[in-house]
Amino acid sequence: MKKYNVAIVGATGKVGETFLKVLEEKNFPVDKLYPMASKKSAGINIKFQGKDWTVEELNENSFDKDIDIALFSAGGSISLKYAPIAKAKGVIVIDNSSAWRMEKDVPLVVPEVNPEDVKKHNGIIANPNCSTIQAVVALKPLHDKFKIKRIVYSTYQAVSGSGVKGIRDLEEGLKGNKNEFYPHQIAFNCIPHIDVFLENGYTKEEMKMVEETKKIMHDDSLKITATAVRVPVISGHSESINVEFEKPFEISEVFNIMGSAEGIVLVDDVANNKYPLASDAADTDPVYVGRLRRDESLESGLNMWVVADNIRKGAATNTVQIAELLVKYDLI
């Protein structure tokens, strides 16, 4: 099997560490690994495939080497600066930040939903927002069958989505200490505020879900609204999704579709208190779907509960799956 030289930008961060873990778990054919990070992390060794690899400082010359793929998770400003440099050197960049997602010539890819879009890449492929990824995995098979007209997203997002600062605020808050990162106490609380507020009253996180869903599903006609809430959970985003379809449906059809769709685990046995939980999704890759029920206020409406690990499927795993598509389609 052909092997590839892979760079990890942001290798010492939470998502970067999970990139390495998922690459190992999936036996991705890595020949040489180039872990990259900021100056303060340069020089440390990380283990991958039983070997020690030295983290190097990211700079303008980092991609002068023979690198096939670069997985980026070091923030938008880093991606904006260094992804074009990598691209110019012939490296295919898969970026986990929001920097390139809505650029017209940059594919925004969820492998279970729009895998063919990777073929349109021009050197950069974007990984969607974590909350968008799990939502569209659940929605795409239903959209194919019944044609979605309108979506109402309500998200309950874990503090790990904010990185180590969010986790620290929750852990310290549970001890009775003051938070330093969130504008309000997150322990024993819910904060309806993720990312910055925009002029329309929505947050940037909410509008990401709206616009990214349309791009991934290739359907600008979708009517979408969203409310994103930070909750005192370490790992795993939960979402209540309300959908209105153009076509009529039977609830049994929905169960059958969800039970056989790629990347989905159906957990819906309310008689025995079984439904998707963030605690069960932790450190796993599937999107869990349950609480399937008709919205009786609409002619063709459906409610569902969708849960996934935001660091794995919402970031690292989806990125590695994109890299696997590049190999599958012989695009490297």
Side-chain angles (χ1 to χ4, degrees):
M1 180 185 288
K2 184 180 177 182
K3 292 193 172 184
Y4 303 90
N5 297 335
V6 179
I8 306 291
V9 178
T12 58
K14 180 66 175 174
V15 174
E17 291 173 352
T18 311
F19 280 155
L20 297 169
K21 183 177 180 181
V22 175
L23 285 167
E24 278 196 321
E25 289 175 358
K26 289 180 168 290
N27 294 314
F28 189 85
V30 176
D31 186 12
K32 293 180 182 177
L33 182 75
Y34 295 99
M36 302 176 185
S38 63
K39 186 176 182 179
K40 67 178 182 180
S41 296
I44 69 171
N45 286 335
I46 60 173
K47 278 218 176 290
F48 178 73
Q49 293 181 338
K51 299 179 185 177
D52 284 328
W53 303 83
T54 302
V55 176
E56 59 183 83
E57 180 184 355
L58 177 67
N59 59 49
E60 284 85 350
N61 302 314
S62 292
F63 301 99
D64 291 348
K65 300 177 280 290
D66 181 19
I67 298 172
D68 299 300
I69 307 172
L71 311 183
F72 273 62
S73 188
S77 60
I78 296 295
S79 294
L80 285 171
K81 180 176 180 179
Y82 289 101
I85 293 173
K87 173 185 168 181
K89 301 292 183 180
V91 180
I92 300 176
V93 173
I94 308 174
D95 182 46
N96 197 56
S97 79
S98 61
W100 301 97
R101 290 175 186 159
M102 298 312 298
E103 290 296 316
K104 189 175 181 181
D105 64 342
V106 175
L108 185 64
V109 177
V110 178
E112 297 89 342
V113 178
N114 59 334
E116 296 286 326
D117 284 6
V118 298
K119 297 178 180 179
K120 304 172 187 174
H121 83 80
N122 191 27
I124 300 174
I125 301 168
N127 194 65
N129 186 35
C130 48
S131 50
T132 306
I133 289 172
Q134 66 188 72
V136 296
V137 169
L139 291 172
K140 179 59 162 58
L142 298 175
H143 187 48
D144 289 345
K145 181 72 173 179
F146 307 116
K147 185 69 169 70
I148 295 172
K149 183 190 299 185
R150 183 171 186 258
I151 305 167
V152 181
Y153 288 133
S154 300
T155 74
Y156 307 83
Q157 297 180 219
V159 294
S160 56
S162 302
V164 294
K165 292 180 180 178
I167 295 172
R168 187 185 305 120
D169 261 14
L170 176 55
E171 291 175 341
E172 291 300 312
L174 292 171
K175 298 174 187 174
N177 299 326
K178 288 185 177 180
N179 57 293
E180 296 179 356
F181 177 67
Y182 294 122
H184 303 283
Q185 170 189 319
I186 185 62
F188 313 108
N189 205 11
C190 297
I191 305 174
H193 175 186
I194 300 178
D195 213 322
V196 297
F197 280 99
L198 305 174
E199 287 186 6
N200 64 358
Y202 286 79
T203 63
K204 193 173 179 182
E205 178 79 5
E206 291 159 352
M207 293 310 301
K208 283 178 191 175
M209 293 194 73
V210 171
E211 300 304 329
E212 290 178 21
T213 298
K214 293 178 181 180
K215 182 173 180 178
I216 295 164
M217 305 273 266
H218 300 153
D219 192 342
D220 287 333
S221 72
L222 290 170
K223 303 297 183 184
I224 308 172
T225 188
T227 301
V229 182
R230 189 71 70 192
V231 296
V233 171
I234 294 287
S235 180
H237 289 351
S238 303
E239 299 175 347
S240 170
I241 305 179
N242 177 270
V243 190
E244 182 180 3
F245 298 112
E246 290 188 3
K247 299 177 182 178
F249 68 93
E250 295 297 330
I251 196 68
S252 59
E253 292 180 278
V254 175
F255 273 88
N256 289 337
I257 290 168
M258 291 290 98
S260 60
E262 180 187 0
I264 291 174
V265 173
L266 178 62
V267 185
D268 198 315
D269 180 7
V270 294
N272 291 297
N273 298 328
K274 292 183 179 179
Y275 26 72
L277 297 172
S279 55
D280 293 335
D283 204 30
T284 70
D285 290 331
V287 173
Y288 299 83
V289 177
R291 294 297 319 279
L292 295 170
R293 62 206 187 278
R294 187 178 290 278
D295 177 353
E296 296 180 349
S297 71
L298 293 171
E299 188 173 333
S300 292
L302 180 76
N303 288 301
M304 68 174 82
W305 183 248
V306 178
V307 176
D309 185 313
N310 53 297
I311 300 297
R312 288 191 62 110
K313 182 53 184 168
T317 299
N318 199 78
T319 301
V320 174
Q321 286 178 302
I322 293 170
E324 289 178 322
L325 288 176
L326 293 172
V327 173
K328 176 183 176 181
Y329 296 138
D330 196 23
L331 296 173
I332 306 175

